[in-house]
Amino acid sequence: MTPGTTLEEIVFGSHKFRDSLEAARLLMVRSEFVTVEWDSDAPSIDWGFALLYASAITSAQSERAQSAVLRIATACMLSSDAEAAHKTAAAALLERTGNHMAVELAESRDRLTDDAWQRLPGALRMEVVRSRIDHSVRLSDGRVLPVNPFQGRFWEAVETNDWLSVSAPTSAGKSRIIREHFLEVTRQAGPFTLIYLVPTRALIEEVSRDLRREVPPDVGVFTMPWDPDLADSSRTVLVLTQERLHLVLELFPSLGVDLLFVDEAQSLAGDARGVLLQHAIERTIRRSPGARVLFASPLSSNPELLIENAPPERHSDSFVSETVTVNQNLIWVENIKRKPQRRTISLVSDGNSHRVGELVLAQRATSVPLRVALVAHALAGDTPGNVIYVNRPSDAEKVAKAVFEQLPTPGEADTEINDLRDLIKTAVHSKYLLADVLERRVAFHYGNMPLVVRTEIERLFGEGKIHYLVCTSTLLEGVNLPCRTIFMRNPQKGSGKPLRESDFWNLAGRAGRWGKEFQGNVVCIDTDNEELWPNLPRARKRSPITRAVNTGLDDASALLAFVRSVDQVHDDSTAESLFAYLFLRYLAGEPLQALLARIPLDSERSEISSAIERASTALRVPVEIVTRHTGIAPVSMERLLESFRKSGKTPTDLELPLPEEPDARERFQEALVRIGTTMTNVFGKPRTGEDLRKWQLANLIVNWMNGIPLAQLVDQRLASSKATTPATAIREVMRDIESIARFHAPKYLACYADLLEAHSSDLGLEPTARPDYAMMLELGVARTSEVVLMSLGLSRTATVALSEFIGVDDWSRSEALEWLSAQNLDGLGVPVLLQREIRDVLSDATRRAATTWKTED
């Protein structure tokens, strides 16, 4: 052994071990895809040698070593040629590396007997016992929680640090261990407020549902700032997006925070929402300087960036984990010249591709959706666990239909799938393609779909009842959709923007989840076309975390363009959000020198600084309104306020109506037109004459707040636009609901209402009570009773299905639960899936009440 040479270097320096590793990789792939015409016979492996060398690097912490041990051990357990003693030794290696869930998976699939480790020599048995002790943590309720090396290190670090930032692969179990930490904190005595910050509303529901099942009964889990019980809760968990966190901080000015966890922290890089996320985090910390702060991100190279602003007196740490819990196979599928029904299959390792066989398609691929579908079906057949990534919702529907055409109709219909199909036809539209393709266990999934539908799709896919799931970039936003194989062709995030390597590997991490699969497969289609794959992936890489604030200052061209055209109406841009962020810091007396120092040129730095000072000097909008509506530039608010003054109308003529008032559509259209000429173009460019787009959006907004079902909204769109097909109308309405009704409209209409109130005050008029438009728009309901139902955990779809039968407009949670439990849901015509959702809410309430009673007794 050469001085300075590590054991890891010696192991990987062995040609025989590297050959064994490649052979194990090929064996695993061959076991997965049985339809491929392989170029050679299955390789043989000297398992005694491979396991011996793998055992030498089990203590190495590099990703290369961790991956190699896992690959050798799992290939051995799955191999038909390996002896029982070899498989037992392989299980011992997995135990040594803390991968107990892979061992349990092998036992559950009869690849290993339950008592295999007991046949090991005495010393090795003791080592397994010691490893299980080392890879476990004892919880305050007496339970012992098995953990992997990343999870164990996180648990140690979170107990000794106030600020912590961690990065680990997608399949390392970040969400699970952080949820356990939250639960551990909720078991402590005394009051607390914990915030679990997620990037999407879909994740709000997923995380809150999991927490509600396990928190102590006296702990409230809240997901919305309008929850009527939030103000009275002393032991509180809030699961929020950055928008809802900002509202909570506004509505509860005395709220103190004990723990803030930022999940998917790489979202700080994301345009205007990334700026808002940073602003919300900073506001929380300014208000609660003693709060503990946790960040988690996948595969980032610099998690320390997120703790650089930690107060010097607070303990802080960051680390990158190389823990590998599931191996992934990277596979390229490429064309063969003059053979339209055949494709080459190449396996990629260490950055190099090696042809291993050919694939025969069922027919010629004459369109892109058919090409993707044929490759996926030729490799996976009619087996579960397949995700196909596409770029747009329309692509998802086309590819799902193409996959549907390749599959046989199941001999026996599944009751749960039929229930989902019935719900889709009722709650979305009778002509929605999703209901059709589900017949053959195919589904598609994108961000604008109703939450109750997406949640059920995810559940049925996770249980193996849906075999193919065609997804858009919602997969990149932390949605929990583990799969066996993910297929991609020309992957993009946003129109015409190739997927960045960091996003690719985050996406690839969905393939093969810990404890569910032994491996995951990432299949890249048409990699021989450089135009489709400008960032062709070869080896998993970590990427640096960035902040949208820093990026916007490092290259200040967009911010300068905004400052130089400040008198113009802009889109809801990152530059406007960044200017508003800087302006709010200036108003709060926060120093800007360090931020502005990022701007390279002195002249540009001075120009932006002067623009902020001028805006402050000219400000006539009340400061509290500017603070409340972060993301909207103060000059835009000034223009709207001035338009009120010059309109010649009274505040009563300008105020927004309740959605049920007869002239609501006309009044909201007028408001959108006024906002469009003073604040933003997000509702459409200003038009001379009748503005049909703003009328369309005003109609949607009013009907949405009135609780009109989605299917009826689609029918209205179809009736108003004869040239629109049902498929297009469904997508457009769902897009407008998410982008306009639930995001841009609450943002700007709430600001409109506040500015109108300020105008009334300037005229000496007494303020009048007005509804919370942000609440009604985001939730899609207008009555207090409906808000209470949604605060219990019911979806809008279920709430709307019940709303016409509710005779009370104002009730408490207990009254709402009592009413729910008394209903004949079949008699009311509530779809089966919504009945199950309602029963789950009632069951959770009953469990918590029973636990509380036992505790008090």
Side-chain angles (χ1 to χ4, degrees):
M1 184 172 180
T2 306
T5 303
T6 65
L7 198 55
E8 181 179 344
E9 289 170 334
I10 292 173
V11 168
F12 281 99
S14 165
H15 288 289
K16 184 175 180 180
F17 181 74
R18 293 201 305 273
D19 290 344
S20 299
L21 196 57
E22 285 306 303
R25 187 192 306 270
L26 184 55
L27 280 178
M28 295 285 283
V29 173
R30 289 175 69 107
S31 70
E32 193 80 23
F33 302 116
V34 297
T35 57
V36 174
E37 295 180 358
W38 303 104
D39 289 345
S40 59
D41 295 334
S44 61
I45 298 176
D46 181 345
W47 290 113
F49 168 84
L51 291 166
L52 176 64
Y53 267 56
S55 70
I57 55 173
T58 51
S59 59
Q61 296 303 307
S62 71
E63 184 175 337
R64 176 178 69 163
Q66 295 277 309
S67 178
V69 172
L70 179 59
R71 195 174 294 279
I72 291 293
T74 51
C76 178
M77 289 194 302
L78 296 178
S79 171
S80 58
D81 296 333
E83 298 174 6
H86 291 144
K87 295 187 178 188
T88 302
L93 292 187
L94 293 176
E95 291 279 8
R96 185 185 291 178
T97 57
N99 203 333
H100 58 280
M101 290 183 70
V103 177
E104 292 172 3
L105 181 62
E107 292 171 349
S108 68
R109 295 190 180 177
D110 296 326
R111 298 288 183 169
L112 199 66
T113 60
D114 293 348
D115 60 348
W117 71 279
Q118 295 182 14
R119 294 196 296 270
L120 291 167
L124 284 179
R125 288 203 305 274
M126 291 298 297
E127 184 181 322
V128 169
V129 172
R130 185 168 58 249
S131 178
R132 289 184 177 181
I133 294 172
D134 290 342
H135 292 105
S136 64
V137 296
R138 182 169 292 279
L139 303 176
S140 59
D141 61 2
R143 289 183 300 121
V144 174
L145 180 69
V147 295
N148 62 36
F150 158 70
Q151 294 173 326
R153 185 175 177 187
F154 169 85
W155 201 268
E156 292 177 1
V158 81
E159 290 186 336
T160 55
N161 287 282
D162 304 305
W163 284 52
L164 179 65
S165 177
V166 300
S167 177
T170 305
S171 58
K174 294 190 299 296
S175 298
R176 176 171 173 263
I177 195 65
I178 289 166
R179 185 176 71 244
E180 288 291 348
H181 175 65
F182 257 67
L183 293 170
E184 187 74 350
V185 175
T186 64
R187 297 181 191 112
Q188 70 185 28
F192 55 75
T193 298
L194 318 180
I195 294 180
Y196 196 123
L197 206 55
V198 295
T200 65
R201 278 191 294 265
L203 276 173
I204 285 180
E205 299 307 318
E206 180 182 315
V207 171
S208 62
R209 186 171 58 246
D210 290 344
L211 288 173
R212 280 192 181 109
R213 291 191 186 110
E214 299 186 64
V215 294
D218 62 340
V219 174
V221 179
F222 301 92
T223 62
M224 57 180 73
W226 313 284
D227 194 306
D229 287 0
L230 177 55
D232 298 325
S233 175
S234 62
R235 292 164 57 78
T236 306
V237 177
L238 285 158
V239 186
L240 307 166
T241 58
Q242 53 262 53
E243 289 83 7
R244 290 191 183 182
L245 173 57
H246 180 72
L247 282 172
V248 165
L249 296 174
E250 283 294 319
L251 294 172
F252 298 91
S254 61
L255 179 76
V257 176
D258 298 286
L259 172 62
L260 171 66
F261 166 57
V262 183
D263 196 12
E264 304 292 334
Q266 74 278 8
S267 300
L268 280 161
D271 52 52
R273 294 194 74 227
V275 176
L276 177 59
L277 176 56
Q278 180 159 337
H279 180 70
I281 293 170
E282 290 175 355
R283 280 193 72 185
T284 304
I285 295 165
R286 277 199 298 271
R287 180 181 295 185
S288 304
R292 295 171 55 227
V293 184
L294 308 178
F295 298 93
S297 56
L299 288 174
S300 61
S301 59
N302 61 334
E304 67 277 1
L305 174 80
L306 301 177
I307 60 169
E308 62 183 8
N309 296 326
E313 69 277 7
R314 308 285 281 167
H315 294 288
S316 62
D317 194 13
S318 65
F319 69 86
V320 172
S321 173
E322 303 289 348
T323 297
V324 179
T325 56
V326 180
N327 279 131
Q328 289 164 337
N329 306 307
L330 181 58
I331 297 165
W332 291 354
V333 179
E334 299 182 342
N335 298 283
I336 301 177
K337 195 172 183 179
R338 305 288 184 266
K339 294 182 179 181
Q341 285 184 239
R342 299 184 76 87
R343 298 289 187 273
T344 62
I345 301 295
S346 298
L347 195 54
V348 184
S349 60
D350 297 328
N352 300 310
S353 65
H354 312 277
R355 175 189 155 120
V356 293
E358 287 189 12
L359 185 67
V360 181
L361 306 186
Q363 63 186 70
R364 287 167 45 218
T366 54
S367 68
V368 170
L370 185 57
R371 179 187 297 256
V372 174
L374 287 171
V375 169
H377 181 255
L379 281 172
D382 192 17
T383 60
N386 305 293
V387 163
I388 301 175
Y389 180 85
V390 295
N391 301 325
R392 297 171 299 184
S394 58
D395 296 333
E397 296 176 11
K398 292 172 185 176
V399 171
K401 184 65 166 70
V403 174
F404 168 88
E405 296 293 342
Q406 309 308 309
L407 296 170
T409 302
E412 186 176 343
D414 184 272
T415 302
E416 291 189 308
I417 286 182
N418 283 342
D419 289 342
L420 176 56
R421 296 178 69 198
D422 290 341
L423 175 66
I424 290 165
K425 292 175 183 178
T426 302
V428 182
H429 200 268
S430 60
K431 296 182 179 179
Y432 196 27
L433 180 65
L434 180 57
D436 298 333
V437 297
L438 273 165
E439 182 186 10
R440 298 183 186 174
R441 304 183 184 277
V442 182
F444 48 84
H445 179 293
Y446 44 78
N448 297 335
M449 293 167 60
L451 181 61
V452 65
V453 174
R454 281 195 296 162
T455 301
E456 185 65 4
I457 287 172
E458 292 164 17
R459 185 184 74 83
L460 293 176
F461 181 77
E463 293 182 1
K465 292 192 173 186
I466 291 174
H467 290 182
Y468 284 86
L469 186 52
V470 190
C471 293
T472 60
S473 58
T474 51
L475 263 186
L476 293 170
E477 296 165 347
V479 174
N480 185 23
L481 276 179
C483 62
R484 289 173 64 182
T485 304
I486 185 166
F487 298 88
M488 287 180 268
R489 181 186 184 273
N490 186 27
Q492 299 175 4
K493 187 182 181 183
S495 179
K497 298 178 182 177
L499 209 62
R500 298 174 302 179
E501 276 200 84
S502 57
D503 286 330
F504 175 88
W505 291 111
N506 184 15
L507 192 61
R510 309 291 169 190
R513 275 301 177 94
W514 190 34
K516 302 294 185 183
E517 301 291 343
F518 290 109
Q519 62 183 342
N521 308 291
V522 184
V523 179
C524 302
I525 301 170
D526 292 345
T527 49
D528 49 326
N529 188 333
E530 293 183 3
E531 292 183 3
L532 302 180
W533 292 93
N535 302 323
L536 184 61
R538 294 180 177 273
R540 188 161 76 171
K541 295 179 181 177
R542 294 182 176 274
S543 300
I545 295 173
T546 59
R547 300 178 192 260
V549 168
N550 294 354
T551 304
L553 293 171
D554 292 341
D555 178 4
S557 55
L559 181 58
L560 285 164
F562 174 80
V563 166
R564 291 166 183 169
S565 59
V566 74
D567 293 330
Q568 299 177 17
V569 174
H570 292 266
D571 290 335
D572 190 5
S573 66
T574 305
E576 179 177 7
S577 294
L578 179 55
F579 184 83
Y581 165 81
L582 294 171
F583 185 77
L584 287 170
R585 285 184 62 104
Y586 180 83
L587 285 184
E590 298 282 333
L592 295 180
Q593 291 89 336
L595 284 169
L596 295 180
R598 301 186 71 96
I599 301 173
L601 297 178
D602 288 342
S603 59
E604 294 178 348
R605 195 179 311 129
S606 176
E607 185 176 355
I608 291 171
S609 180
S610 297
I612 293 170
E613 292 175 8
R614 283 197 307 273
S616 174
T617 302
L619 187 67
R620 290 184 294 172
V621 174
V623 171
E624 62 270 18
I625 293 180
V626 178
T627 303
R628 190 178 305 144
H629 300 286
T630 181
I632 302 177
V635 67
S636 300
M637 300 186 200
E638 294 282 4
R639 282 196 297 266
L640 180 58
L641 187 58
E642 185 63 20
S643 79
F644 291 154
R645 293 176 177 135
K646 294 181 176 179
S647 67
K649 296 185 176 183
T650 66
T652 303
D653 294 331
L654 293 167
E655 71 181 6
L656 299 172
L658 288 165
E660 67 268 20
E661 294 183 44
D663 63 344
R665 289 162 182 78
E666 292 82 357
R667 299 284 288 276
F668 274 100
Q669 184 196 25
E670 291 172 8
L672 293 182
V673 169
R674 190 174 297 276
I675 290 169
T677 58
T678 57
M679 301 185 84
T680 180
N681 292 325
V682 296
F683 303 109
K685 301 285 186 183
R687 298 182 184 278
T688 56
E690 188 177 8
D691 196 327
L692 295 179
R693 174 59 173 165
K694 291 190 178 64
W695 172 257
Q696 183 184 66
L697 293 179
N699 186 63
L700 177 72
I701 285 168
V702 169
N703 287 331
W704 176 252
M705 287 190 288
N706 275 325
I708 300 299
L710 176 57
Q712 194 172 330
L713 298 177
V714 172
D715 283 335
Q716 289 177 354
R717 184 68 60 93
L718 284 168
S720 65
S721 180
K722 301 298 184 184
T724 299
T725 65
T728 301
I730 293 168
R731 287 195 303 271
E732 286 181 351
V733 169
M734 290 195 297
R735 180 200 64 206
D736 285 347
I737 286 171
E738 287 301 310
S739 176
I740 300 297
R742 302 190 72 181
F743 185 69
H744 290 303
K747 176 178 179 178
Y748 286 99
L749 289 174
C751 185
Y752 177 103
D754 279 351
L755 289 170
L756 185 59
E757 186 173 298
H759 175 53
S760 298
S761 178
D762 289 344
L763 295 176
L765 302 176
E766 288 293 325
T768 58
R770 56 184 173 85
D772 189 332
Y773 294 102
M775 177 192 73
M776 292 192 296
L777 285 161
E778 184 168 340
L779 300 183
V781 295
R783 299 167 62 192
T784 304
S785 55
E786 296 164 335
V787 176
V788 172
L789 288 180
M790 294 184 72
S791 75
L792 293 172
L794 285 187
S795 64
R796 179 190 187 262
T797 306
T799 301
V800 166
L802 295 169
S803 61
E804 64 180 299
F805 308 110
I806 301 173
V808 180
D809 192 40
D810 191 7
W811 54 15
S812 65
R813 276 191 173 210
S814 59
E815 290 169 332
L817 288 167
E818 184 179 352
W819 182 88
L820 275 179
S821 62
Q823 300 311 302
N824 175 3
L825 299 177
D826 280 325
L828 297 180
V830 178
V832 171
L833 278 182
L834 299 185
Q835 290 190 36
R836 192 183 71 201
E837 181 184 337
I838 293 165
R839 285 196 301 271
D840 287 345
V841 166
L842 290 170
S843 175
D844 179 66
T846 301
R847 177 190 63 82
R848 293 171 68 81
T851 308
T852 303
W853 178 80
K854 288 180 182 178
T855 303
E856 291 174 350
D857 188 58

